[in-house]
Amino acid sequence: MNKSQLVAALAVALLSSPALAGTPPEGVEFQPRRGFYTDTNVGVFFTVGGQNSYSNAQTYLQLGIGYDLTERISLGAHFGMGASAQNCFAGYLPGSETCALSDNFTMQFLNATASYHLRLMDRVYLTPKLVAGYTRLDPAPVDPDKGDPGRAVSAPNAGVGVGFEYNTGMDHFSVGADVLARFVIGPDITSFAIFPKVKYTF
């Protein structure tokens, strides 16, 4: 081997070492970002039951914060607001189709949320969840205490939901959609919220 061939062989050996030590072609396995997060949700809301069977669909807004305890389990707190339109829960006045109390009322929810992330495929998760908290109804659609019918009332609620979450290619951002059913204990009102969501994980 002459001098020029020796130099060429050494050059190839030196250049090949970094290439072999580099990132493999298939890349690094995707890991979703977990930790403290906020989410914003805007969708539709309606109640079921009552004299009118169901209310007209209304706008629903929900804002939340939370923390991912593990890759699969998350805890959060959410404030949501919707309205029940044209659904009477107090019954009609005798001989008429006029609701005894208001058949249009707002519902404000303050809930604790526990979610589980079930991986369906890369970046896509099914997210069943449990919620519980308090609801404010204004004005009162039912009057269990026979007091001022124009006042607002508060009552506990509990519910279940399911949705999906997609971890986008933009770091920190996830998108998805949820269906959430809640039962207000006392007034005995069931509500549904259906909404897309945008989640930012810090």
Side-chain angles (χ1 to χ4, degrees), residues 146-166:
K146 306 302 180 184
D148 178 8
R151 78 190 194 288
V153 296
S154 296
N157 76 75
V160 296
V162 66
F164 75 91
E165 183 175 305
Y166 172 71

Side-chain angles (χ1 to χ4, degrees), residues 6-51:
L6 179 61
V7 171
L10 289 173
V12 170
L14 291 173
L15 290 173
S16 64
S17 297
L20 293 173
T23 303
E26 63 271 16
V28 178
E29 181 183 0
F30 171 74
Q31 293 294 331
R33 182 178 287 272
R34 295 289 185 242
F36 180 72
Y37 67 84
T38 64
D39 59 51
T40 303
N41 316 289
V42 179
V44 297
F45 178 90
F46 60 94
T47 60
V48 297
Q51 298 295 319

Side-chain angles (χ1 to χ4, degrees), residues 12-199:
V12 170
L14 291 173
L15 290 173
S16 64
S17 297
L20 293 173
T23 303
E26 63 271 16
V28 178
E29 181 183 0
F30 171 74
Q31 293 294 331
R33 182 178 287 272
R34 295 289 185 242
F36 180 72
Y37 67 84
T38 64
D39 59 51
T40 303
N41 316 289
V42 179
V44 297
F45 178 90
F46 60 94
T47 60
V48 297
Q51 298 295 319
N52 306 96
S53 299
Y54 56 89
S55 71
N56 297 328
Q58 299 293 303
T59 301
Y60 179 74
L61 172 65
Q62 180 175 281
L63 303 172
I65 58 173
Y67 189 81
D68 299 308
L69 299 179
T70 68
E71 183 180 344
R72 297 190 178 274
I73 299 174
S74 300
L75 297 179
H78 290 82
F79 171 78
M81 183 169 61
S84 178
Q86 301 297 311
N87 198 5
C88 179
F89 289 91
Y92 293 136
L93 294 173
S96 74
E97 292 188 1
T98 301
C99 191
L101 294 175
S102 178
D103 58 357
N104 294 275
F105 54 93
T106 61
M107 300 181 72
Q108 298 174 335
F109 300 90
L110 183 60
N111 284 118
T113 306
S115 303
Y116 184 81
H117 293 77
L118 178 64
R119 183 173 177 174
L120 299 179
M121 62 183 71
D122 191 29
R123 297 180 181 269
V124 179
Y125 293 80
L126 185 70
T127 56
K129 59 195 62 184
L130 299 174
V131 301
Y134 261 84
T135 308
R136 179 179 173 87
L137 304 99
D138 187 13
V142 295
D143 191 20
D145 299 326
K146 306 302 180 184
D148 178 8
R151 78 190 194 288
V153 296
S154 296
N157 76 75
V160 296
V162 66
F164 75 91
E165 183 175 305
Y166 172 71
N167 296 109
T168 70
M170 295 185 295
D171 195 18
H172 300 280
F173 283 97
S174 302
V175 297
D178 281 10
V179 177
L180 184 59
R182 282 174 288 208
F183 182 74
V184 182
I185 303 166
D188 297 340
I189 296 174
T190 301
S191 70
F192 287 87
I194 304 170
F195 49 87
K197 68 178 181 180
V198 178
K199 176 181 175 183

